[in-house]
Every structure is written in structure tokens, then in C-alpha cells.
Amino acid sequence: MTHMLLPLFVVIPLGAAFLNSLLGKRIKGFSDILSAVATCALACISIYSIFIIKDAGLIVYKVGGWIPPIGIVMVMDGLTVFMAVTVNLVAFLISVYSISYMEKYTEKWLFYCLFLLMVAGLNGVIISGDLFNLYVFLEIAAIASYALVAFGTEHEELEAAFKYAVMGSVASSFILLGIVFLYSVTSTLNMADMSLEIAKGGSPRIIMLVSVFFLMGFGLKSALVPFHAWLPDAHPSAPAPISAMLSGVLIKSLGVYAIIRIFFSVFGATPQILNTLMLLGALSMMVGVCLALGQWDLKRLLAYHSISQIGYVVLGIGLATPLGILGGLFHLFNHSVFKSLLFLNSGSVEYATGTRDLQKMGNLKEKMPVTSATSMVASMSIAGIPPFNGFWSKLIIIVACVQAQHFAYAVWAVIASLLTLASFMKVQRYGFFGELRGRLSGVQESPFFMKLSMILLAVICLAGGILLLPGVYGSFLEPARDVILAGKDYAKMVFMSVR
Amino acid sequence: MTIIVKAITRLTVGLILLFGIYIVAHGHMSPGGGFAGGVIIALSFIHIMLAFGKEEAFKKINQGVASFFESIGAIIFITLALLGISGGYFFLNFLSKGEPFKLFSSGLIPLYNIAISFKVGSGLFIIVVILVLLKITKEGGDK
């Protein structure tokens, strides 16, 4: 029976999205409730599947009853569950937040429809065991996000969405081209089967070319530095819940997860790829934070920090030591929590004051205690102040760098972390402390649902370190790390689980 | 449009619609299927719009109806796929497969084709309607 859970990850959001488009316009409040219930169900299923995976190890679901190399499969292993929990937990809290926040836009049901389609795409990318299917879900999520960035339909938003759409399409074309080349070499699209074919070592040059295409395509989706130009425009222009979704989970699910799955599980990580990943990670880390320092637009500043924090994740995973991968994955989870929280805070500030400019804010902590307190928690987390979750993951990554004899990267990461702290001190000083401006004297705290989801995210930030405790570590982070460490054994495990 | 275009459209539009339905219905045994048939069905309505103007086309099918069919197509598709779980697998083709190359054969696949044709046909129609209705303005309003 547990097998039945796998297709639900895609079916629930897709079904809810189309029910929304059918009934949301006609029945008031229907889309709010439906989307909250659907994402809540997804979050519950993904948390429940932690326990299934603990017993089963790896589950393969044959869609339509066709056996793997012929039919499409859905594969659930430790990494899948880890990503699914991250995506669906954040999606649920963002969906709750949107109930109040999206009141200021018209056509709320349309927003929920696109939002749920995006969640369906993200879950599909994570759960799919078939490379072309992964591409299809990636496009669903990406196209929904192009539309969502343009949701305000002002000039600035349309321009950002157009830029994002063009760059995203270029990335998708490279990914598709890579898949075409791979298919021509291996004659299969199933990732496990493909991995076995590549292991025979037929045509290493094509694999090299395809690796570069994938690095370019997925690198653009995950906004690594040479490919980051769409992100600082797209993230600030979207409505706040979508900024949180894009920064919190989309760049990780479409970018980092796909990179891990393809380069570790299908190709098998070679030293060239790992060095490239580490270099791109280190570059993103520093460039992102340096560009963020000079920003006065709150959401733009946060968007540049997304680039910087993705750098940490990729650096950790590029180390390919057990500790490095653990740090990278843990930071991925932590970043999706605290960055979503920060974007929701910025949305809350914008909702109340109507501005995103830090120079026009001041002393909001008296007027908006919840927003201010939660943003303090999130800022401390992202800057890596102990007891908050960001500290532990950054510490693990830096220790892993030292352990792997990459001292330069370790120092580099420490410097980037200090610059992050500096830039968030600026946010706190200008946004929430300092003197109150007369214009803002009538500002009020945000509505209940916005406060609720911000508080819940802040609690997860504070309690994130628990994931490293012995009992919890073995069921959530360790299985995910083991999948990456196992690398090309993925294929063997998939075929063993079928029989 | 001129009288020639209008007269020809009157003759051909029904045939185009019928051909679209034929492509959808025979999708499981000849080239074509839900997507291609849906596009042809949408083209028959777009044809009316080009020849007689958008008001005439909206009398046949308006945006509300098209939007309804788009959603219902997707929901039918997901429901059919979910019904497969009754036989043990998502997307399982549980109906009798019948005799090959007969119209009523291959189980659920013709039904999937019909659901896709709803979705694609109405979706394409809406895209063209939006291109017709929206006007492009330049920033700053320079003329």
C-alpha cells in the first residue's frame, strides 16, 4: 500500500490546480481552502514517507504497471524524501501565508492555480526516475514560475518575467539537447538504465559534452554565478510568497537536486565535475554576497543572498566527502526555511508600509513586533549565529573543507559568512531599528495567517539543529547523504527493488 | 474579410471541425491523437474568428466555456489515470483492449485522447483570443 503514495505527490497538486481553475472563480474562499488543504496533505505525506523509507530503503513505482526500462518509473529514496519534505513543508507554510497576502491582488484563484502547478512540477522533478519525465516536470514548474513572476503585470514585473522566460528557455533548450545526445548514446531514458549503459564506457566525449550542457542548463536554473543574471530581477518582482517559493525551493529542486541526481547517480561524479562544482560554488558565494552588500531594495538584497547561499550548498556537495555532502544538504534545508521566512518578512513589511526601500523604513520593531522578531531569527540564521540552524550547516561545510585539505575554500566561506552578517546587520539597523519615520506612524502588524506562517518558520529555524541529534539524524539527513555517497549504485538499487 | 473568404469559410469550417473529431477518435490507431485533433478543432473556431470577426466566434464558444472545457479536460485525464489505481497501478489501462485496429479498442487510450483534445483545443483557442483582445502599449505612453 505504501507504493500508492508516490503518484500522489504529483496527482494532489495537479488535481487541486485544475479544480481551482474550474471552481475557484465561482465559489468565494474555495481556492484558499483547497490550496491550503492540498499542500498540507502533501506535507503530511512527505513527512510520513520518511518512516517508510527508513524501513524500505528505496521504493520504485511502475507507472501503468510497465517494468522499468520500458515504462516510466517513479523512484523514492532518501534524497527524494529529503527534498520532498523541504519542498512541501515550505509550500504549505507559503500557501497559508498567501491567504492574507494575496488579498491585495485580483484573481486570487489564478494565483493558486499557478502555484499548485508549480508545486506539481517541483514534486515531479524530485520523484521521477526517468530523465525525460524530469524535463517535462521541470518545464511545468518553470513555465508556471514565469507566469507567477509577472503576476502583478506592471512594467517592471513583465520585464523581469520576460528576461527570466528567455534565460530559462535557453537553459531548458540546453537540458533538452543534453537529453537528446544522451538518448542517442544510450538508447534509454530511464535514469537507472542510462547509468548502467554509461558505465560500459562507450563514448566518453559525448558524456563530457552532455555534462557541460547540463551544468549550464541546471546551473542557470539554480542561479550559480556565471548564470545568475535572471535571479536578481525575477525574485524581487514576484509577489512575496512566490519570491519565497522561487528562492526557497525552486532553485534547489530544479537546479541543485537535478545536478546531484544526474552527476552523482547517473554519470558518477568525476574529479573534473566536482572541481567545477566547487569553483562555481565558491564564486557564487562571494559574488552574491558582495553584490548584496550595496543593495537598498530589501527583496533584491535577499535575492542576491540566495545566490550566495546556493554557493555554500554546491560547495559542500562538490567536496563529495561524507561530511561535505551532509553540510551541503543540511544547508539546503536550512536555506529554504530561513530564506522563505526572510522573503515572507519582506512581503509583510511591503504589505504594511508599501515600500521595499530600506532607507524609507525605520524602527518597525515597535509597530510590527512579530515580523521584526521573526526577521531577526532569520537574519541570525542566515548569518550563521549559533544556536540557529544556519550556524550548524555552515560550520559543517567549513569543517569539511578543512578536512578535505581545501583550506582556501574554508577561509573563503568564512569571509563570505562575515559579509553576510554585515549585510543583515544593515537590514536590521535600517529596517527594524533606528528612528521611526513620521510617514510610518500608522503602520499595523500583518494579519493572522501571515503571522502564523512566519512564526512557524521561525520555530523551524530555531529548532533546525535538532536534525543533527543522533535519533533524528539517522532518519532524515543520513539516508539522503547515503544516496549521494552511493553514487552509481543507484541503478543497482533501482533494479533490485523492481524484482 | 471579403465575400470570397466568408463563403469558403461557411463551406469548410464544418469539415475542419469534423476532421478534427476524426483525428481525435482515431488517435489510437492512426497518426494523430488528442493533441493534433485538438489543434484542428481549435482552428475551426479560429477560422470563424478570422473570417467573420471575434463577435461571431464568441457566439459559438465564449471564453468562459473554453476555460471550463480546459479545466474539465485536465480533470478527466487525472481522474482516468487515478481510476487505474483500482487495478493496482496509477495510469493502468484496465479496460478491455479489444481487437487491434478497431475503433473501440485499446482500452483507456481513446478516452485519454478525448480529454487531451478538450484541453488542447480550448487552450489554443484561448491563446488566440488573448492575442486578439490584448493591446500593446509602450512605456511612458509615447505615440
Side-chain angles (χ1 to χ4, degrees):
Chain A
M1 266 318 284
T2 52
H3 282 229
M4 286 305 153
L5 290 178
L6 271 75
L8 290 184
F9 278 108
V10 182
V11 170
I12 292 176
L14 266 187
F18 291 116
L19 272 180
N20 245 335
S21 75
L22 195 63
L23 301 172
K25 195 170 23 173
R26 295 177 177 81
I27 307 168
K28 202 173 177 295
F30 175 78
S31 50
D32 288 332
I33 297 168
L34 182 69
S35 122
V37 168
T39 43
C40 180
L42 284 171
C44 293
I45 293 174
S46 50
I47 289 171
Y48 175 60
S49 48
I50 294 176
F51 300 103
I52 297 173
I53 280 303
K54 206 179 173 189
D55 299 331
L58 184 140
I59 298 179
V60 177
Y61 188 84
K62 295 171 288 217
V63 176
W66 298 92
I67 50 167
I70 299 164
I72 292 170
V73 290
M74 291 174 169
V75 181
M76 184 150 89
D77 56 14
L79 183 61
T80 306
V81 172
F82 171 78
M83 288 301 298
V85 170
T86 312
V87 168
N88 292 315
L89 197 63
V90 172
F92 168 55
L93 292 170
I94 286 172
S95 165
V96 169
Y97 180 91
S98 316
I99 294 173
S100 300
Y101 182 82
M102 291 309 287
E103 285 299 331
K104 65 176 189 167
Y105 290 86
T106 52
E107 312 261 5
K108 208 173 161 191
W109 60 275
L110 209 57
F111 165 81
Y112 280 120
C113 189
L114 287 165
F115 174 77
L116 287 166
L117 276 177
M118 188 159 96
V119 174
L122 295 173
N123 278 329
V125 167
I126 293 165
I127 203 97
S128 175
D130 183 280
L131 197 53
F132 190 73
N133 215 5
L134 185 148
Y135 173 76
V136 171
F137 281 120
L138 182 142
E139 280 292 88
I140 292 177
I143 288 172
S145 70
Y146 306 152
L148 280 167
V149 168
F151 200 76
T153 61
E154 295 297 322
H155 282 296
E156 189 195 332
E157 284 142 3
L158 291 175
E159 188 193 333
F162 186 70
K163 186 176 179 186
Y164 178 28
V166 170
M167 295 190 73
S169 313
V170 171
S172 300
S173 318
F174 273 112
I175 295 168
L176 185 61
L177 202 58
I179 294 173
V180 167
F181 279 139
L182 265 185
Y183 183 60
S184 74
V185 176
T186 61
S187 315
T188 177
L189 285 170
N190 185 293
M191 287 203 270
D193 201 28
M194 198 175 253
S195 169
L196 292 181
E197 287 290 328
I198 291 170
K200 289 174 187 164
S203 35
R205 285 189 183 168
I206 297 265
I207 303 300
M208 207 65 208
L209 179 70
V210 170
S211 303
V212 174
F213 281 174
F214 281 164
L215 209 58
M216 208 146 54
F218 292 123
L220 202 143
K221 298 278 181 203
S222 59
L224 287 172
V225 146
F227 318 112
H228 69 287
W230 59 272
L231 190 144
D233 281 339
H235 286 201
S237 309
I242 293 310
S243 311
M245 200 68 193
L246 288 178
S247 181
V249 292
L250 186 123
I251 55 176
K252 304 197 179 72
S253 173
L254 299 192
V256 177
Y257 170 80
I259 285 179
I260 293 174
R261 187 55 96 196
I262 289 174
F263 285 118
F264 284 81
S265 298
V266 179
F267 289 172
T270 55
Q272 296 105 307
I273 295 287
L274 292 178
N275 284 333
T276 317
L277 282 180
M278 278 194 288
L279 189 68
L280 289 179
L283 208 60
S284 307
M285 224 152 64
M286 196 52 89
V287 172
V289 78
C290 288
L291 287 169
L293 273 175
Q295 299 298 326
W296 286 102
D297 180 338
L298 179 53
K299 282 175 89 174
R300 214 176 165 80
L301 184 145
L302 296 177
Y304 277 115
H305 274 292
S306 290
I307 300 172
S308 163
Q309 302 299 314
I310 275 291
Y312 277 97
V313 176
V314 173
L315 174 65
I317 287 165
L319 285 171
T321 56
L323 199 62
I325 291 171
L326 173 72
L329 286 176
F330 191 32
H331 199 65
L332 190 156
F333 176 78
N334 292 340
H335 177 243
S336 66
V337 175
F338 58 61
K339 188 49 71 67
S340 310
L341 177 52
L342 281 167
F343 269 116
L344 296 187
N345 289 144
S346 77
S348 170
V349 169
E350 197 187 357
Y351 186 87
T353 65
T355 181
R356 301 196 311 237
D357 192 341
L358 283 172
Q359 283 168 316
K360 290 183 184 152
M361 297 174 196
N363 203 14
L364 287 172
K365 75 174 191 304
E366 277 177 15
K367 297 288 174 188
M368 309 174 72
V370 176
T371 308
S372 160
T374 50
S375 92
M376 184 57 122
V377 171
S379 302
M380 305 256 256
S381 300
I382 195 173
I385 308 291
F388 297 101
N389 57 3
F391 167 72
W392 303 109
S393 49
K394 281 188 181 179
L395 184 70
I396 294 174
I397 292 174
I398 291 165
V399 170
C401 281
V402 173
Q403 220 177 41
Q405 312 279 323
H406 290 294
F407 298 111
Y409 284 139
V411 174
W412 196 249
V414 172
I415 296 171
S417 183
L418 287 175
L419 290 174
T420 310
L421 179 61
S423 108
F424 277 93
M425 277 163 74
K426 172 176 145 184
V427 170
Q428 292 297 329
R429 159 69 182 78
Y430 282 93
F432 298 98
F433 291 82
E435 72 278 17
L436 188 68
R437 285 164 210 272
R439 199 176 68 74
L440 298 176
S441 53
V443 163
Q444 285 182 336
E445 181 58 286
S446 318
F448 170 73
F449 285 115
M450 288 164 73
K451 279 194 282 193
L452 176 71
S453 66
M454 287 192 294
I455 290 171
L456 286 176
L457 280 168
V459 170
I460 300 176
C461 273
L462 197 55
I466 287 177
L467 291 176
L468 287 176
L469 292 180
V472 191
Y473 168 70
S475 52
F476 188 57
L477 281 170
E478 198 179 22
R481 188 202 67 181
D482 289 344
V483 167
I484 304 183
L485 279 180
K488 297 190 79 171
D489 287 343
Y490 167 76
K492 235 179 283 169
M493 273 147 68
V494 166
F495 281 109
M496 225 147 72
S497 158
V498 171
R499 283 187 199 101
Chain B
M1 281 288 175
T2 61
I3 186 85
I4 303 172
V5 176
K6 286 182 177 173
I8 298 290
T9 302
R10 256 186 226 113
L11 289 175
T12 54
V13 75
L15 291 175
I16 296 174
L17 182 62
L18 207 60
F19 183 63
I21 294 169
Y22 167 81
I23 293 279
V24 173
H26 290 246
H28 54 292
M29 49 192 180
S30 65
F35 194 97
V39 170
I40 296 170
I41 291 172
L43 285 179
S44 70
F45 290 106
I46 293 163
H47 201 166
I48 296 175
M49 201 190 302
L50 291 177
F52 297 99
K54 57 179 183 285
E55 286 79 17
E56 203 67 26
F58 287 158
K59 276 184 206 160
K60 308 271 183 215
I61 179 169
N62 65 26
Q63 292 128 289
V65 176
S67 166
F68 173 78
F69 272 109
E70 201 197 351
S71 311
I72 211 82
I75 288 175
I76 292 174
F77 193 90
I78 293 175
T79 313
L80 287 173
L82 272 180
L83 282 178
I85 289 189
S86 66
Y89 284 104
F90 183 54
F91 265 113
L92 183 75
N93 195 344
F94 58 87
L95 284 185
S96 143
K97 308 291 183 297
E99 205 181 320
F101 301 107
K102 288 282 183 301
L103 184 57
F104 294 102
S105 64
S106 51
L108 280 176
I109 293 173
L111 299 179
Y112 285 134
N113 273 336
I114 291 169
I116 294 171
S117 73
F118 279 175
K119 173 89 186 149
V120 173
S122 44
L124 192 68
F125 180 72
I126 291 172
I127 290 173
V128 174
V129 167
I130 286 168
L131 289 179
V132 168
L133 291 182
L134 287 186
K135 293 194 181 68
I136 297 168
T137 52
K138 267 190 176 173
E139 195 168 2
D142 55 345
K143 280 145 199 163

